[in-house]
Amino acid sequence: MLICPQCKFENPNTNKFCQKCGTSLTHKVCPECSTDVPVNALRCHNCGTECGTVFWAIITQETTEDRGDGEAGEVNFPLSFSSSSSPSSPPPATLEMTSGSYLDSQERYQLLESLPCLENITEVEARVLDCQPYQISPIEAILGNQQSDVVTPSVAANTIPSVAKLYIALQYQDHPGIPPIHDAWQQGDKQVIVIQDRSNWQLLLDSWQEETTSSLKILHWCYQMTLLWSVLEPVNCRQSLLELSNLRLDEDQTLALQRLYVDSLNNQEDDQSLSVSSEQPLNIQALGRVWQTLFRQTQRTQFGSVVQMLGDLEAGKIETIAQLRSRLQEISVELEALGSGTLPPVQEKHTVVPTIVQSEDPEDIISKTDDMPTVVLAMQLSSLEDAGRTDVGRQRHHNEDYFGIETKIEKLELPKTRILQGHGLYILCDGMGGHAGGEVASELAVNTLRQYFQEHWTPNQLPTENSIREAVYLANDAIYKLNQQDARSGVGRMGTTLVMLLIQDTQAAVAHVGDSRLYRVTRKQGLEQVTIDHEVGQREITRGVEASIAYARPDAYQLTQALGPRDENSINPDVGFFEINEDTLLVLASDGLSDNDLLETHWQTHLEPLLSSSANLERGVTDLIDLANQHNGHDNITAILIRAKVRPNLES
């Protein structure tokens, strides 16, 4: 089956367009020049941008010794696979290792470079182009609990290589450090796994040696390694942390692994000193040797407390991973006292460390969450971007929506750090009252609020709740007075809804009146609706009425409050505050966008990808407008997107 990239509908393999939303299943849009490009093309034929779906393939060949009498998975090379095969497995195939050839008989995964033949070596790695990116793989079917007609390397679950089962088990942990697996299969004596391509991610080694990298940031990476150690230890993949070339950083400077390595006592230190493994048993002392190697290769000076910690670790005075974390925390406190940075104390909540239970078969690995404490870091803003757009929709003749955006970014450059101060005001109003009524009210509200905060927003400090309420009452009063002046009455009285977001660095405040909404999207929590509509149905729910009964009323969607029709005694704006402590996409939406659970249905395809710094917010907001016109279109449509990226506050 073909999974539509837009709506995730499952289509027959012969479809050229999605049966549900009409999206092309044979072409994609180049992110750079918007040219239609075949889905099996590596680069755009118009501008040359790489827009193909590329993965990292690991191809392993078992030796005669590996297929001996030992238990499944006990092999003498880094990645151990099950050698079992079922009658439904494809016949053994000779893998051509020239660029442009395919790894599988279905001609799905195309090599992007030539590789040595698997005669004298047991494993090779390469980037591969997925020529059927919308085709679900058996692994994806397992992870998504979907049915697969198994057209891409057709393998039964019991022929999935054992190391692939480790990726699958760890993927249920949802740990960003573990690369997601995409596909895996076995053909005769060859096993292939296809995972996310992280070969171009920044090496930890490179960032470690940069002069601008603070000591506290290094401590934070060490702490992240201890967290990953706890995840990898039960499945015997600690070796993954001992290969320096395997330690990468994502776009947010968070530690990540390029791939998994199964623990082995036979891995010797190579000529390039990229591995610090040895024939000694793998214990937490191995982490100390990794850190020593990183300091040595980057020629960074080890500060006194770290020297003592590494010495105690090697001498066995630090025996558990918990003691090691505690020691890292003590050093961070010491650095704070010296004015070298800040790192909050260990806390028992907010962030939990996933772990898994050891079992004899990787298939039986069970995930759980333990109560292991973790460092909760103070965060600072690393970037603040926004985009907004309004559209009349498909049925209205004029647009009563209005929005305003004011953003101010200041960068403070210091010899060893950069501080970003962000100040943002985002206002969205959905007017009512007909032509020359609703659009007047919405514009008047936005301009009144902008003027108020230009005069009353103290630099580098978020306005108080009382100040925000005062601003909303002023906007209401401005519209109310105009209604009185024009002697408007009944449905002719103009008004508007309001949703307003204020951001100061990592602090945010939201105020709203009516049914325009604020949504929040994060990688951890997914989509969250921050505001609650001021309408009859929601009012009844707060009174204890069941939702199905509350929204069965004919007036369920009638607003209970709005700006302008009545004086300030008739409105009670909701005002709330929250902290931006992880990368966040904030969405202000009029009901033309939010109606019919549109964002709840499509957030994974239209919002979640926009968390990435590489995603274009202008294009993202246009796609949202197009989506709303396609599925709603009965009302004006307005969307404001704000992407706030944060990083640990590791500097003074």
Side-chain angles (χ1 to χ4, degrees):
M1 68 183 66
L2 300 176
I3 307 299
C4 174
Q6 291 295 329
C7 68
K8 302 304 180 182
F9 184 77
E10 300 173 7
N11 296 271
N13 296 326
T14 55
N15 278 25
K16 294 185 178 180
F17 297 92
C18 176
Q19 291 179 184
K20 183 177 181 181
C21 69
T23 297
S24 174
L25 300 176
T26 60
H27 288 73
K28 63 172 69 174
V29 176
C30 171
E32 190 64 32
C33 68
S34 299
T35 299
D36 282 344
V37 181
V39 296
N40 62 349
L42 176 64
R43 297 184 180 277
C44 172
H45 57 270
N46 182 51
C47 67
T49 298
E50 183 175 305
C51 52
T53 304
V54 177
F55 291 99
W56 187 255
I58 304 170
I59 308 105
T60 307
Q61 178 170 274
E62 289 180 321
T63 64
T64 303
E65 180 182 353
D66 298 327
R67 297 191 296 270
D69 297 329
E71 297 183 10
E74 292 185 352
V75 292
N76 294 323
F77 43 86
L79 282 173
S80 58
F81 297 90
S82 168
S83 59
S84 62
S85 178
S86 70
S88 62
S89 299
T94 301
L95 294 178
E96 296 292 337
M97 293 297 173
T98 58
S99 177
S101 60
Y102 294 90
L103 291 182
D104 58 293
S105 58
Q106 288 77 20
E107 297 189 349
R108 173 169 183 172
Y109 300 106
Q110 186 178 39
L111 282 168
L112 297 181
E113 57 191 76
S114 296
L115 297 175
C117 183
L118 282 173
E119 289 184 357
N120 302 317
I121 56 177
T122 56
E123 180 184 285
V124 292
E125 302 170 283
R127 295 175 79 232
V128 294
L129 174 68
D130 187 351
C131 298
Q132 302 169 31
Y134 302 152
Q135 174 63 58
I136 188 172
S137 72
I139 300 296
E140 291 176 312
I142 292 171
L143 292 172
N145 295 319
Q146 296 168 291
Q147 296 296 318
S148 171
D149 46 9
V150 193
V151 293
T152 149
S154 56
V155 292
N158 63 349
T159 63
I160 295 175
S162 59
V163 75
K165 297 173 187 177
L166 297 179
Y167 281 93
I168 293 171
L170 292 175
Q171 197 154 324
Y172 281 118
Q173 302 286 318
D174 196 28
H175 195 293
I178 310 298
I181 187 168
H182 175 68
D183 208 345
W185 68 94
Q186 180 166 332
Q187 291 177 286
D189 63 349
K190 296 181 178 65
Q191 303 88 19
V192 181
I193 64 169
V194 181
I195 61 177
Q196 181 184 34
D197 179 23
R198 296 180 170 183
S199 59
N200 293 324
W201 289 23
Q202 184 181 15
L203 284 167
L204 173 66
L205 185 68
D206 292 342
S207 189
W208 192 292
Q209 69 183 357
E210 292 177 1
E211 292 184 1
T212 56
T213 300
S214 69
S215 298
L216 272 176
K217 183 174 287 187
I218 288 175
L219 284 178
H220 184 54
W221 288 328
C222 292
Y223 194 92
Q224 289 178 333
M225 291 181 72
T226 66
L227 299 181
L228 271 172
W229 182 275
S230 296
V231 172
L232 298 170
E233 184 175 21
V235 292
N236 296 321
C237 288
R238 291 162 294 184
Q239 186 69 35
S240 310
L241 287 167
L242 307 184
E243 306 287 336
L244 297 192
S245 60
N246 196 46
L247 304 179
R248 304 278 174 161
L249 297 174
D250 66 14
E251 63 182 18
D252 301 317
Q253 295 288 289
T254 299
L255 184 69
L257 303 176
Q258 181 174 337
R259 54 168 286 187
L260 292 180
Y261 288 95
V262 175
D263 295 348
S264 171
L265 298 182
N266 298 321
N267 293 326
Q268 301 293 330
E269 185 168 347
D270 63 23
D271 294 337
Q272 301 300 320
S273 298
L274 291 178
S275 170
V276 294
S277 57
S278 68
E279 294 186 358
Q280 302 175 23
L282 287 180
N283 51 39
I284 60 171
Q285 292 177 347
L287 277 182
R289 290 191 286 271
V290 170
W291 299 338
Q292 288 176 335
T293 303
L294 282 163
F295 275 110
R296 183 175 66 251
Q297 292 206 14
T298 59
Q299 298 182 347
R300 287 187 70 107
T301 302
Q302 299 177 25
F303 36 103
S305 299
V306 169
V307 174
Q308 184 64 47
M309 177 192 68
L310 294 175
D312 290 347
L313 191 57
E314 188 65 29
K317 296 180 181 179
I318 302 175
E319 299 178 344
T320 67
I321 207 75
Q323 291 173 347
L324 183 55
R325 291 195 186 103
S326 178
R327 192 65 168 270
L328 288 168
Q329 179 61 33
E330 291 174 4
I331 298 173
S332 72
V333 172
E334 177 185 335
L335 289 180
E336 180 182 4
L338 294 173
S340 302
T342 177
L343 199 62
V346 174
Q347 298 186 14
E348 299 291 335
K349 55 184 179 179
H350 300 302
T351 305
V352 292
V353 182
T355 186
I356 46 184
V357 176
Q358 176 85 42
S359 69
E360 295 182 358
D361 188 339
E363 262 187 320
D364 298 328
I365 294 172
I366 302 172
S367 64
K368 73 172 185 177
T369 300
D370 65 8
D371 297 322
M372 188 180 300
T374 195
V375 170
V376 181
L377 292 168
M379 308 303 288
Q380 67 180 29
L381 197 66
S382 63
S383 68
L384 185 65
E385 303 170 84
D386 53 63
R389 184 182 162 190
T390 187
D391 187 83
V392 69
R394 294 184 299 170
Q395 296 182 17
R396 298 293 178 89
H397 298 294
H398 60 278
N399 195 344
E400 295 180 281
D401 288 1
Y402 200 82
F403 72 92
I405 296 176
E406 286 192 8
T407 307
K408 183 179 180 182
I409 304 293
E410 293 182 350
K411 296 180 181 179
L412 177 60
E413 299 286 349
L414 299 174
K416 292 188 177 182
T417 187
R418 183 192 71 178
I419 297 174
L420 186 74
Q421 294 178 328
H423 166 111
L425 175 64
Y426 309 93
I427 311 167
L428 186 155
C429 290
D430 180 357
M432 61 194 75
H435 185 60
E439 55 198 50
V440 171
S442 59
E443 182 175 358
L444 180 57
V446 170
N447 290 335
T448 300
L449 290 163
R450 290 175 65 174
Q451 182 176 351
Y452 175 88
F453 287 111
Q454 286 172 358
E455 299 172 357
H456 295 85
W457 193 329
T458 303
N460 302 323
Q461 183 177 339
L462 200 64
T464 64
E465 179 177 348
N466 287 339
S467 178
I468 294 172
R469 286 184 175 277
E470 181 181 357
V472 176
Y473 289 136
L474 283 175
N476 181 84
D477 189 54
I479 303 169
Y480 176 75
K481 287 180 177 178
L482 195 56
N483 275 320
Q484 297 297 94
Q485 175 184 316
D486 295 344
R488 292 174 178 259
S489 62
V491 295
R493 291 180 74 82
M494 59 185 175
T496 184
T497 67
L498 164 71
V499 60
M500 175 172 62
L501 176 69
L502 304 91
I503 293 178
Q504 184 64 59
D505 302 330
T506 58
Q507 304 297 316
V510 57
H512 88 287
V513 175
D515 61 356
S516 292
R517 296 177 178 175
L518 174 68
Y519 290 89
R520 174 172 53 198
V521 181
T522 61
R523 292 188 177 94
K524 291 181 181 178
Q525 301 298 326
L527 178 73
E528 300 172 278
Q529 183 179 328
V530 179
T531 56
I532 298 176
D533 297 344
H534 293 142
E535 59 188 16
V536 171
Q538 284 293 337
R539 182 194 67 193
E540 295 304 296
I541 291 174
T542 60
R543 292 175 176 176
V545 178
E546 291 186 9
S548 58
I549 298 175
Y551 277 94
R553 296 174 52 128
D555 61 348
Y557 293 97
Q558 180 178 320
L559 295 181
T560 56
Q561 55 176 309
L563 297 184
R566 295 184 289 275
D567 63 25
E568 67 177 43
N569 295 320
S570 66
I571 65 167
N572 181 26
D574 285 341
V575 179
F577 295 82
F578 60 93
E579 187 172 350
I580 303 172
N581 51 23
E582 60 180 306
D583 291 348
T584 302
L585 181 74
L586 295 153
V587 185
L588 281 70
S590 66
D591 59 354
L593 176 61
S594 62
D595 277 354
N596 300 315
D597 294 329
L598 187 68
L599 294 180
E600 286 81 356
T601 302
H602 297 279
W603 72 272
Q604 289 177 302
T605 56
H606 283 71
L607 295 180
E608 187 175 32
L610 298 177
L611 282 167
S612 172
S613 299
S614 60
N616 186 300
L617 286 188
E618 295 286 352
R619 186 174 293 113
V621 78
T622 298
D623 289 343
L624 282 178
I625 298 294
D626 292 344
L627 181 72
N629 269 320
Q630 181 179 349
H631 294 278
N632 289 335
H634 58 279
D635 199 354
N636 307 144
I637 306 161
T638 304
I640 300 175
L641 298 178
I642 305 103
R643 179 168 60 212
K645 308 278 285 186
V646 298
R647 60 185 175 88
N649 185 8
L650 300 175
E651 292 85 12
S652 56

